[in-house]
Amino acid sequence: MQNSFSESYKNAGVDVTAGYKSIELIKKHIDRTKTQGMLEGIGGFGGLFALPKNECCGKTSEPVLVSGTDGVGTKLKIAMLMDKHDTVGIDCVAMCVNDIICAGAKPLFFLDYIALGKNKPEKVEQIVAGVAEGCVQALCALVGGETAEHPGMMEEDEYDIAGFSVGIVEKSKILNKINVKKGDVIISLASSGVHSNGFSLTRKVFEIDSKKDILNKYFEELGKTLGEELLTPTKIYVKSILTLLEEVQIKSICHITGGGFYENIPRAFSENYGALIKKSTIETPSIFKIISDTGKIPQRDMFNTYNMGVGLCVFVSQENADKTLRFLKEKGENAAIIGEICESFSGVKIE
């Protein structure tokens, strides 16, 4: 690679040597994510991963691969305006692996794709450091990725990141929404804040694109600046859920992402049922009240856009509710019973 250099390509806006420097800088971060199945480091044309034998249960097992892909969305604008890039990688991993665990699957490996107006190796290192941290939290390996310069398509300081993850679950243990019945309990796992959804609305509410100094405003209710609050990375629930699955019979799980309660919760049960959510049981972080008050956003729109303090919902029978709640709290999760499954309506009711 040392002999790979094109003056003509550099003059067109792409410096391949910057890409090589980026690779050198991120290697130490990737090394943090090594797991049993990771066969080699970065540099090849494809990431190699061997399914660990202990992930499957003998000759009669039926391992199923579960995949998820997502990005960080316009939360990246906040990172760019604040010139802070070491947390959005966590968001990218979280958005993928939190989806995978909704099937009851364990994430195995992750790949990222970073497009930049100009490859600045130190910035790439910050981004990938966040990705690596997310992989460590999710117990998966960062087996590869791609960094691409897009001069002429993106401004020099702009970038986008997307990710892809694969997990594994025994076929007989895949969580299936048809198992959710009337009377089942909905238990929430608290979010760490806004996570990675609703940022187009959030940016509009605070007029962030034209008044970026608002990000430096300190809010007593938050105990930090608005920018610091908004860049809080998405919580990763992998460890807690994987251990919970070994202790309690979980019927279904949903990840509260884009579309909030009204779109995501019904994905976890059959159409002939409904979810009754008790708003008073939800511990909603102050940032959501600030957004609602500032933008004069009605309650339904808030619950249809944001997670409102609920990152994940676990569905269990009434007899398993107390055990589930106790176990999650022992694992450090802020968990609460926020609702139940009903038969008299479909969709979601919040009261």
Side-chain angles (χ1 to χ4, degrees), residues 13 17 30 32 44 52 78 83 119 124 181 189 239 242 284 327:
T17 58
I30 295 173
R32 293 183 59 214
I78 311 299
D83 195 24
N119 190 331
V124 172
K181 304 297 181 184
L189 280 71
K239 292 179 182 178
L242 289 180
T284 303
F327 184 87

Side-chain angles (χ1 to χ4, degrees), residues 47-302:
L48 303 180
F49 192 92
L51 293 181
K53 292 181 179 179
N54 61 4
E55 298 294 349
C56 308
C57 307
K59 296 180 180 179
T60 60
S61 67
E62 295 182 89
V64 175
L65 297 180
V66 182
S67 60
T69 185
D70 209 337
V72 182
T74 64
K75 183 173 185 174
L76 292 177
K77 288 284 290 185
I78 311 299
M80 293 175 203
L81 290 170
M82 295 183 66
D83 195 24
K84 179 175 171 54
H85 314 285
D86 58 348
T87 60
V88 291
I90 301 174
D91 289 295
C92 191
V93 175
M95 296 304 288
C96 296
V97 299
N98 285 345
D99 280 353
I100 285 175
I101 60 173
C102 289
K106 175 185 178 181
L108 293 174
F109 59 84
F110 186 86
L111 295 97
D112 59 23
Y113 173 79
I114 305 170
L116 312 99
K118 183 177 180 61
N119 190 331
K120 299 179 180 179
E122 290 75 17
K123 180 184 287 187
V124 172
E125 181 186 9
Q126 288 183 54
I127 298 169
V128 176
V131 174
E133 174 58 29
C135 288
V136 170
Q137 292 182 26
L139 306 174
C140 66
L142 178 56
V143 297
E146 174 69 12
T147 304
E149 278 188 288
H150 287 170
M153 287 186 65
M154 307 173 76
E155 297 296 327
E156 281 195 4
D157 289 331
E158 291 182 345
Y159 65 93
D160 194 11
I161 179 172
F164 171 80
S165 187
V166 172
I168 190 170
V169 62
E170 178 70 25
K171 187 176 182 179
S172 63
K173 295 183 178 180
I174 296 174
L175 300 183
N176 194 324
K177 64 181 182 181
I178 65 171
N179 293 322
V180 178
K181 304 297 181 184
K182 177 184 176 182
D184 285 342
V185 174
I186 305 170
I187 296 177
S188 69
L189 280 71
S191 69
S192 55
V194 183
H195 281 186
S196 301
N197 297 106
F199 273 85
S200 294
L201 177 56
T202 302
R203 286 169 36 240
K204 181 180 179 182
V205 165
F206 294 108
E207 301 180 80
I208 290 173
D209 292 352
S210 60
K211 300 177 180 178
K212 67 177 184 179
D213 286 344
I214 188 68
L215 293 171
N216 298 319
K217 181 178 178 180
Y218 183 88
F219 285 79
E220 291 290 342
E221 309 97 303
L222 303 176
K224 61 184 73 171
T225 67
L226 178 63
E228 289 170 335
E229 174 66 27
L230 294 180
L231 277 190
T232 301
T234 305
K235 185 172 176 59
I236 293 175
Y237 301 95
V238 171
K239 292 179 182 178
S240 295
I241 293 299
L242 289 180
T243 52
L244 178 64
L245 287 166
E246 296 176 357
E247 300 292 330
V248 181
Q249 184 179 358
I250 304 302
K251 293 193 173 187
S252 190
I253 299 175
C254 74
H255 181 199
I256 308 298
T257 57
F261 282 51
Y262 290 103
E263 181 177 324
N264 291 290
I265 292 179
R267 297 166 68 181
F269 52 83
S270 301
E271 292 181 2
N272 52 322
Y273 292 108
L276 180 62
I277 305 296
K278 297 290 187 180
K279 187 178 65 171
S280 61
T281 62
I282 299 172
E283 190 176 322
T284 303
S286 298
I287 182 60
F288 296 110
K289 186 177 189 306
I290 295 172
I291 292 172
S292 178
D293 291 348
T294 304
K296 296 180 173 57
I297 302 170
Q299 175 183 295
R300 194 186 192 286
D301 286 357
M302 291 295 295

Side-chain angles (χ1 to χ4, degrees), residues 304-319:
N304 200 57
T305 305
Y306 298 103
N307 66 62
M308 299 301 286
V310 177
L312 212 69
C313 287
V314 173
F315 296 72
V316 298
S317 63
Q318 288 188 8
E319 54 265 34

